[in-house]
Structures are given as C-alpha cells and as structure tokens.
Amino acid sequence: MNLASIPSPSTGVIELGPIPLRGYAFCIIIGVFVAVWIGNKRWVARGGKAGTVADIAVWAVPFGLVGGRLYHVITDYQLYFSDGQNWVDAFKIWEGGLGIWGAIAFGAVGAWIGCRRRGIPLPAWADALAPGIAIAQAIGRWGNWFNQELYGKPTDLPWALEISEGPNRVAGTYHPTFLYESLWCIGVALLVIWADRRFRLGHGRAFALYVAAYCAGRGWIEYMRVDEAHHILGLRLNVWTAIIVFVLAVVYIVISAKLRPGREEIVEPDKDAEAAKKDDAGDADGPDATEKDGDPLKKDTADTDAPGTSAEDTQAESAAPEAADKS
C-alpha cells in the first residue's frame, strides 16, 4: 500500500479559448528560453556580446527539434509505420517523442551555421550554453509527466508516480524516471558551472563535460524504464548510445586539454573595432607614403623653383663671364 505518490495530470492539454496549450510543448518552449537566458549571461561574462546566443539559437533550435524528432521516429519506427499505426502521427511532435541524441547532433549543425555567420568559434558558444541545455532538459522532462510516458518499473515508494489507464499503459504506480532525469540534469548543470569556474574550461570541454555527465545518469535511468524499445545484447538502444557518447566525450576532454590547454581569450571578435583599426591603418599609410615618396607635383615644382636651376638663372650665369670679359 502506498503511503504517498505523485499524481499525474488528468489531461496534458489546457484549453485557452480556441487555443490548446499542450503541457509537453509548453515545457519544451520554457526550457529553450531558460537555456538561452543562461547561455547569454555566461557568454557576456566570457566577453561576448549580448544577444549573440539568441541569434545562433535561431539556427540551433529548429535543427534540434527536427533532429530530435527524427531520432525518435527512426528508433521507434514501429509506433508509426507498423500495421494499425498511422504514419501521419510521426509529425505530431506535440504528443511527445524527442530523442536528445538527435536533438544535440542536429542542433550542433544549426549552431555551426550560426557561428560561422557571426565569425565566432562553435566550441566557445557550446561551452557557454552547456549548463543552460541541462536545465532545459530538466524542464522539458516534465512534459513526459503531462503525457504520462517514459516512466519506470512498478514501485510502492512514497514518491511513486501514479499512472492512469490509457493507450499502451496500465494503471498503477511506477518509478518517476522523468523526475529522476530532471533532478540529474540540474545536478549536471551545477557540476558544469562549478568545474568551469574551478578549471577555466575552454575549447568545448565544458560542453563535453555536460555530455559525459548527462550520459552517466541517462544510462542507469534508461535501464529502469519499461516502455517498448529496441535491445542489443540485452541492453536498450539508448543505454548503448549513452555508453558510446560518454566514452567519446571523455576522450575529447583528455585530448583537447593536451592539444589546446586553457580557455579562449577572445570569444567574439569586435567587428566594429576591427573595421576602425583597418581605417586607422589606412589613414596612417597615406601620410607615410607621402612622406616617403613625396608628392610628384611638389617634387617637380621644388626642382623647378630651386635656386640656380631655372632657365633665367642659367642664362644669367652664362652672361656673367661674357660681361666680365667685355669689361
């Protein structure tokens, strides 16, 4: 018998007049705004310009949403393309289903495009945004609570999650894996912030630390889930993904620290200042060149007007001896 439990919402949609406000989408949107806000504060603290993080997020977020949905649909294709399923549901992102692995991978592509357009290094931008991404995930996981999905094994713990009867689910109390991951992501964000201040992480290492720490938690949390998933050698696909990505992130941290120690001194070149320097350099070259080579007109004038070199002076000098001879 449960002494206490976490109730699930009776519906994942709040009707605001003609506009349906879906809890899952609301959590994703709030998470994005919080991530950009945190990332902007960290970017400015690193010497960047306010607003740059948001400008690049305009590229990263759409790419991330597409990538997250693609990863989910590909890895859980039976939910949309098997007998009795409607493939159109694959486009209903508001009903849940975003794979963080695809979201980060595709989001990085969008961020790379945005960074190239602004002329800033992608690793530095990713370092600034890393804790914000973790917090966004912590908020976004509550969308699974609204949809009553991605819960764990049955339990009678005081913090068990109540699940009601519905499609592909049985009423009961289960491990709230959404809550476990949400709390873990908050811990990851705090870890990255502390490590960044303590060790002055740069060149993408703060982001790699976020990835490694998240994967470490996702591995054991994923293992607790009971929703349908593909298995390889007895482990869920996402567990294997977490293990592989964790190893890659750790390897990157080690190699990057040896090849590019320290942190970037300049994360966002000031284009206005650079243009001003070029203009100043151009102005400086003008007088120098004049002083070096001289003005040809002035030079000709000086040569023509110099004493003893004019035609009249030459004739005077020639006439002088003749006058002397006559006298």
Side-chain angles (χ1 to χ4, degrees), residues 202-227:
H203 302 288
R205 289 188 287 277
F207 183 82
L209 175 61
Y210 143 71
V211 172
Y214 171 74
C215 290
R218 178 63 184 267
W220 66 267
I221 294 172
E222 183 74 22
Y223 188 74
M224 297 178 65
R225 283 167 46 174
V226 294
D227 53 298

Side-chain angles (χ1 to χ4, degrees), residues 118-163:
R118 293 296 296 263
I120 65 176
L122 174 61
W125 184 85
D127 283 343
L129 203 66
I133 295 177
I135 295 297
Q137 288 178 251
I139 297 172
R141 273 306 176 197
W142 284 86
N144 302 133
W145 176 65
F146 280 100
N147 287 352
Q148 296 195 48
E149 60 185 0
L150 307 187
Y151 45 84
K153 299 174 182 178
T155 183
D156 57 358
L157 291 170
W159 55 84
L161 175 67
E162 295 179 13
I163 296 295

Side-chain angles (χ1 to χ4, degrees), residues 45-189:
R46 288 282 303 274
K49 297 179 182 178
T52 295
V53 169
D55 291 343
I56 297 175
V58 170
W59 288 90
V61 172
F63 272 75
L65 290 175
V66 172
R69 188 60 176 178
L70 280 176
Y71 181 89
H72 167 72
V73 172
I74 291 172
T75 56
D76 290 313
Y77 62 88
Q78 71 281 355
L79 300 177
Y80 308 99
F81 302 105
S82 59
D83 292 338
Q85 303 296 332
N86 187 359
W87 63 270
V88 177
D89 292 340
F91 297 95
K92 297 179 180 179
I93 191 172
W94 56 86
E95 293 183 355
L98 286 175
I100 185 61
W101 316 111
I104 294 297
F106 274 62
V109 174
W112 176 77
I113 295 173
C115 286
R116 280 186 61 86
R117 291 171 60 90
R118 293 296 296 263
I120 65 176
L122 174 61
W125 184 85
D127 283 343
L129 203 66
I133 295 177
I135 295 297
Q137 288 178 251
I139 297 172
R141 273 306 176 197
W142 284 86
N144 302 133
W145 176 65
F146 280 100
N147 287 352
Q148 296 195 48
E149 60 185 0
L150 307 187
Y151 45 84
K153 299 174 182 178
T155 183
D156 57 358
L157 291 170
W159 55 84
L161 175 67
E162 295 179 13
I163 296 295
S164 61
E165 191 73 25
N168 302 319
R169 65 175 187 254
V170 179
T173 54
Y174 302 85
H175 277 284
T177 49
F178 86 90
L179 179 60
Y180 298 160
E181 187 168 335
S182 180
L183 295 175
W184 183 270
C185 287
I186 293 174
V188 169

Side-chain angles (χ1 to χ4, degrees), residues 203-259:
H203 302 288
R205 289 188 287 277
F207 183 82
L209 175 61
Y210 143 71
V211 172
Y214 171 74
C215 290
R218 178 63 184 267
W220 66 267
I221 294 172
E222 183 74 22
Y223 188 74
M224 297 178 65
R225 283 167 46 174
V226 294
D227 53 298
E228 186 178 355
H230 297 287
H231 287 72
I232 301 176
L233 300 177
L235 292 179
R236 294 166 65 95
L237 174 61
N238 281 334
V239 174
W240 282 110
T241 305
I243 293 172
I244 294 172
V245 175
F246 171 83
V247 172
L248 293 176
V250 172
V251 169
Y252 177 85
I253 292 174
V254 174
I255 295 178
S256 174
K258 291 182 178 180
L259 297 180

